[in-house]
Amino acid sequence: MSEPQVHTLVATVQDHPGVLTRVASLFRRRGFNIASLAVGHSEEPGYSRMTIAVEGSADEVSQCEKQLYKLIEVDSVRNLTGTAAIICELALIKIRVSARSDELDKVTRNHGGEIVDRSESSMIVQMPGDQKRVDQFLDVISGHPDAWLIEEISRTGAIAMARGSTHGRNG
Amino acid sequence: MSSTNGRSTNVVNTDSQIARSGGDVVCDAILEAGVDVVFGMPGGASLPFYDALYRYQDRIRHVLIRHEQAAGFAANGYARATGKVGVATSTSGPGATNLVTCMANDMMDSVGVVYITGQVARPAIGSDAFQETDITGISIPVTKHSYLVLDVDDLPRVMKEAFYIASSGRPGPVHVDIPKDVFVETTTCTAPQSLDLRGYITPTAGDAALVARAAEVINAADRPIIMAGHGIDISGAAEQLFALATRGNIPVVSTLHGVGTFPETHPLSFGMLGMHGLAYANFAMGKTDCIIGLGTRFDDRAVGKVEEFGPDAKVVHIDVDPAEIGKVLATDVPIVGDLKMTLERLLPLINHHDRKAWFSQLDSWRGRHRSLDIPESPESVLPQEVVRAIYEVSGGDARVIADVGQNQMWAAQHFWYEKPRMFFSAGGLGPMGYALPAAMGVKLADDRRDVWCVTGDGGLLINIQEFNTLAAEGINLKVAILNNAHLGMIRQWQEFFYEGRYMGAYLDNPDFAAVAKSFGLHGVGATTREEMNSAIEMAHAHDGPVVLDLHVDQVENVYPMIVPGTGVASVIEDPR
């Protein structure tokens, strides 16, 4: 039995109301632990793509993939863990700031983010990247001597895509 | 809950322009699937469907059950007896929620049933209308698939998909929820010729290289054993199983649902394994060097303690459901495929071996551990004797539908099933109350064989209202109540594991023969051995439904028993 870790599954599913319920119900009833789940349109009309980050051993996640496959509206499932893949997410972070914000601008830019809203007392940072990068940015903000206060965090959860052309590849 | 909008695969029948109501579309789909009986109870939301059933009554027999749960169990029996799909129907709300146990039961036992439930009319959905419930929300975890049909143009395709999904691959329940106004609306659409179910794979023969590997492992084994599961029945592979066992000279044990897939009086048969399986069947699983699991999910009641189940065995597992492979046992040769087709591919590669040492070991266990001997009982009739008497009177050619609990184990143990689809019980979910309605479904599906419902008194009471259906429809069923005035398996567990602190185990029963008579059935009570034997003979000879209230020993236990969580070495055998 391998060590538990977060696996990234990408599923192509029919774009029906209720598909999300089915997937969520499956995870709950079989005790699979979802770290995050992101869903949106795919390149094909009528189909959505779901990225599911699931915690578990390799055996557990393999069972999870097979169970997902049994859902009639699931067209394909791939486990991108350990493969060449782009895995990223997007976070919006609202930070309470005092007057001086140049420093926050700099820190945000250094981490590859962007300030997308400014008010008198707060700013919203939009931070894309893999989970590690977002986590690091949050650590820097929390630990900064200027005592910035994080008021709100909203994260999309990971989305993922295998590197290289899809053409000629099954699944 | 696949809402069915947004798909472009509906076929508009422009040639004929024959408009059909939603209700007619459902009836046509039922006929198309070769089904001729529908079990159900009407209600407000399903009245338009019943109006269609009225028009189709010359082709579809509607059996009015007296509780929706009985409709689902009867449809299950119908499906298991025929290999076709069963159909059960109810109205919205309480009618539909009463079917949920049946769906869960079909799901656990891989039985194809299509459930048609009425729903409140579309404008009322979501308004907490009278008898409204989110039944597709409820049925998701207990169905193979489900639909809420919001457009009548989708209905022909949905119905065709429902029957296909219910019966193909690993069969299972499919739920179609239809709002009242969708039953009424008309459509000119017909189902597409070929279904667009991307991602739903119809099984084929298992991979040739893996099959060859399986043959190598089996041929090299000194102590192989076949574990025959329900998949043999479902795939229709009993002939191939017989060929594999006899060609390879390989002993066979069966799961509860595999009972009868291999003739139980054949010398290669070592009976049923599991918690209440025969001692020698379980000993064999402990010592085998090669488990050949065929159409089985290695259920915990069959396997017991995983570490002691074939600890030295290579595992060859053939199943139609990839998710079952490796789920319980680490598998050396995993083969996904249709069992019949896969065994056809495997058979020519199998060599005959004497396996003398293995058989002498097995036969010595069989000689010393006589799990099926019935002890002397001068004071009372033992429930095992009842099952034996039914076996004798029917010449072994009756179908037996058992309920859940002690009666289920005795019915599996003390009757020798020689053919597939002869013994049915609800093994996975274990819902008491299954046997009576399921037996009705079995008998209505196939009138050629005698059908015996073997039930406990507790289980009978759960769906005893079906005595009414039995009488009204004149279903020629023999009901044998093993009446021990207890929830027997509960009593047994409290005796074994709770030091005799009996709580909720005693049943203050009515006179079941009198109850049967009040329903218009032929009811007979029996307490002595002579009365029991003559009642069973009478029931066998009588042309019509009979209910036998057989007062058996109140404290008889099911043996052997492997204590849950322990291995086969700690098996409790009959102390007498």
Side-chain angles (χ1 to χ4, degrees):
Chain A
M1 188 72 81
S2 62
E3 288 299 301
Q5 67 168 105
V6 173
H7 292 250
T8 305
L9 306 182
V10 174
T12 306
V13 304
Q14 286 179 17
D15 186 10
H16 292 170
V19 171
L20 188 57
T21 312
R22 279 183 206 284
V23 171
S25 167
L26 169 66
F27 276 75
R28 181 188 51 74
R29 73 176 177 270
R30 292 205 177 259
F32 301 128
N33 203 358
I34 302 185
S36 72
L37 190 159
V39 55
H41 293 301
S42 73
E43 71 288 351
E44 187 180 357
Y47 285 86
S48 301
R49 186 151 288 121
M50 277 184 191
T51 305
I52 308 159
V54 56
E55 283 172 28
S57 69
D59 286 346
E60 286 164 351
V61 174
S62 160
Q63 177 64 206
C64 178
E65 285 173 58
K66 290 173 179 175
Q67 292 294 343
L68 268 174
Y69 227 122
K70 286 173 70 169
L71 299 179
I72 307 294
E73 288 152 320
V74 171
D75 185 48
S76 67
V77 184
R78 292 193 73 199
N79 187 344
L80 295 184
T81 314
T83 70
I86 301 296
I87 301 175
C88 64
E89 66 172 320
L90 184 69
L92 293 174
I93 304 139
K94 188 180 284 177
I95 303 166
R96 192 190 298 167
V97 291
S98 49
R100 201 169 63 91
S101 62
D102 297 356
E103 174 68 6
L104 180 58
D105 271 316
K106 205 176 97 193
V107 172
T108 301
R109 268 199 312 278
N110 283 348
H111 280 83
E114 189 187 345
I115 293 177
V116 291
D117 179 68
R118 293 169 198 271
S119 74
E120 245 173 57
S121 59
S122 72
M123 292 188 180
I124 297 177
V125 173
Q126 175 180 292
M127 180 61 60
D130 59 17
Q131 192 191 354
K132 205 162 134 197
R133 187 207 282 188
V134 176
D135 287 346
Q136 273 170 357
F137 177 73
L138 291 171
D139 285 346
V140 167
I141 297 296
S142 314
H144 198 274
D146 282 8
W148 294 323
L149 180 73
I150 297 174
E151 288 190 327
E152 227 176 282
I153 300 172
S154 187
R155 297 172 75 152
T156 58
I159 56 170
M161 193 172 280
R163 289 178 186 268
S165 174
T166 307
H167 183 73
R169 190 181 65 208
N170 291 323
Chain B
M1 187 191 52
S2 163
S3 168
T4 52
N5 45 7
R7 291 275 297 255
S8 55
T9 52
N10 301 324
V11 177
V12 181
N13 192 343
T14 44
D15 300 339
S16 58
Q17 288 293 335
I18 298 169
R20 296 180 296 162
S21 73
D24 285 9
V25 167
V26 174
C27 288
D28 285 340
I30 290 169
L31 288 171
E32 186 98 349
V35 177
D36 51 6
V37 183
V38 171
F39 301 92
M41 181 179 285
S46 66
L47 277 172
F49 177 45
Y50 273 74
D51 207 33
L53 285 170
Y54 180 85
R55 290 190 290 279
Y56 280 74
Q57 61 183 295
D58 57 330
R59 286 161 285 169
I60 300 172
R61 178 173 179 181
H62 173 263
V63 174
L64 176 68
I65 44 63
R66 268 57 174 181
H67 184 299
E68 288 85 353
Q69 188 181 93
F73 289 159
N76 174 297
Y78 180 93
R80 291 181 72 171
T82 56
K84 292 194 283 193
V85 174
V87 178
T89 184
S90 79
T91 191
S92 61
T97 55
N98 277 344
L99 290 173
V100 172
T101 302
C102 310
M103 295 174 182
N105 180 53
D106 300 332
M107 193 70 176
M108 288 288 265
D109 287 350
S110 310
V111 180
V113 173
V114 168
Y115 290 90
I116 312 288
T117 56
Q119 181 55 276
V120 299
R122 281 167 295 179
I125 290 179
S127 72
D128 302 320
F130 176 65
Q131 291 193 332
E132 182 187 3
T133 199
D134 174 17
I135 190 61
T136 44
I138 293 172
S139 69
I140 281 178
V142 292
T143 52
K144 186 174 174 185
H145 198 45
S146 56
Y147 299 87
L148 168 61
V149 184
L150 294 173
D151 183 341
V152 73
D153 287 346
D154 290 329
L155 195 55
R157 170 181 57 78
V158 166
M159 290 308 303
K160 184 167 178 175
E161 286 182 5
F163 278 102
Y164 176 67
I165 291 169
S167 58
S168 55
R170 181 177 180 174
V174 178
H175 175 204
V176 186
D177 195 28
I178 305 176
K180 186 173 189 177
D181 54 338
V182 173
F183 278 126
V184 177
E185 277 194 355
T186 58
T187 179
T188 55
C189 287
T190 55
Q193 272 304 310
S194 63
L195 295 171
D196 173 31
L197 288 166
R198 244 169 69 174
Y200 183 75
I201 299 156
T202 312
T204 51
D207 179 77
L210 284 170
V211 169
R213 173 83 190 118
E216 277 171 33
V217 169
I218 294 167
N219 287 333
D222 293 322
R223 304 184 304 280
I225 194 152
I226 294 168
M227 179 171 165
H230 192 191
I232 304 277
D233 261 358
I234 295 169
S235 168
E239 239 177 81
Q240 289 71 19
L241 166 65
F242 189 84
L244 175 66
T246 48
R247 187 186 176 102
N249 197 30
I250 306 167
V252 180
V253 295
S254 76
T255 67
L256 180 68
H257 284 329
V259 159
T261 56
F262 187 80
E264 290 196 306
T265 54
H266 193 280
L268 286 173
S269 171
F270 286 80
M272 181 178 79
L273 86 171
M275 182 181 281
H276 293 293
L278 308 185
Y280 45 84
N282 289 320
F283 293 149
M285 298 317 290
K287 285 286 182 280
T288 174
D289 65 353
C290 175
I291 297 171
I292 307 160
L294 305 179
T296 169
R297 60 188 172 87
F298 293 112
D299 169 62
D300 58 280
R301 285 293 195 270
V303 167
K305 197 172 184 182
V306 173
E307 300 75 38
E308 294 184 27
F309 190 78
D312 306 319
K314 287 219 158 47
V315 176
V316 175
H317 190 185
I318 308 177
D319 201 275
V320 74
D321 182 355
E324 291 303 344
I325 291 178
K327 189 181 84 173
V328 176
L329 296 187
T331 306
D332 299 276
V333 189
I335 303 179
V336 176
D338 174 76
L339 204 45
K340 185 175 184 169
M341 288 191 253
T342 306
L343 288 179
E344 291 282 9
R345 189 171 266 189
L346 176 66
L347 280 171
L349 311 177
I350 295 297
N351 302 331
H352 189 276
H353 288 281
D354 280 346
R355 311 188 204 278
K356 271 190 186 141
W358 182 222
F359 279 105
S360 94
Q361 169 73 84
L362 290 170
D363 286 327
S364 121
W365 281 326
R366 179 148 60 180
R368 279 185 288 131
H369 299 270
R370 304 192 56 82
S371 300
L372 294 180
D373 285 358
I374 299 177
E376 292 288 314
S377 174
E379 303 297 321
S380 60
V381 178
L382 296 180
Q384 304 92 303
E385 297 178 60
V386 174
V387 178
R388 279 299 168 89
I390 295 170
Y391 176 71
E392 295 298 337
V393 79
S394 65
D397 200 35
R399 283 192 158 116
V400 175
I401 292 81
D403 206 68
V404 172
Q406 290 185 316
N407 65 86
Q408 180 182 29
M409 294 299 116
W410 287 316
Q413 290 174 339
H414 291 275
F415 194 109
W416 283 264
Y417 301 94
E418 304 287 54
K419 284 176 283 216
R421 297 188 190 278
M422 293 296 278
F423 171 73
F424 305 110
S425 87
L429 188 72
M432 283 170 58
Y434 169 81
L436 177 60
M440 297 186 336
V442 169
K443 186 65 184 172
L444 286 173
D446 180 0
D447 191 38
R448 290 170 302 177
R449 283 213 177 79
D450 285 352
V451 174
W452 280 85
C453 163
V454 175
T455 178
D457 36 336
L460 175 72
L461 281 164
I462 287 180
N463 275 315
I464 197 167
Q465 77 286 341
E466 296 312 310
F467 276 177
N468 198 189
T469 312
L470 214 55
E473 302 280 336
I475 304 168
N476 187 0
L477 195 67
K478 318 302 175 188
V479 181
I481 309 166
L482 306 184
N483 183 353
N484 58 5
H486 282 90
L487 297 172
M489 194 60 93
I490 297 300
R491 200 211 58 78
Q492 177 170 348
W493 279 55
Q494 290 177 339
E495 178 190 330
F496 283 12
F497 310 124
Y498 296 87
E499 295 163 328
R501 295 187 297 276
Y502 300 112
M503 186 70 209
Y506 178 71
L507 291 171
D508 199 359
N509 282 324
D511 176 346
F512 289 115
V515 172
K517 279 179 204 155
S518 76
F519 276 100
L521 295 169
H522 190 28
V524 176
T527 45
T528 67
R529 192 161 280 113
E530 293 65 39
E531 286 171 355
M532 182 267 290
N533 280 323
S534 70
I536 288 171
E537 273 163 29
M538 178 280 292
H540 175 70
H542 184 77
D543 184 22
V546 176
V547 175
L548 304 181
D549 184 10
L550 306 169
H551 294 263
V552 295
D553 192 287
Q554 296 199 354
V555 294
E556 179 65 6
N557 291 319
V558 177
Y559 296 106
M561 178 176 195
I562 297 176
V563 176
T566 72
V568 63
S570 63
V571 61
I572 305 173
E573 294 194 80
D574 198 327
R576 289 162 292 188

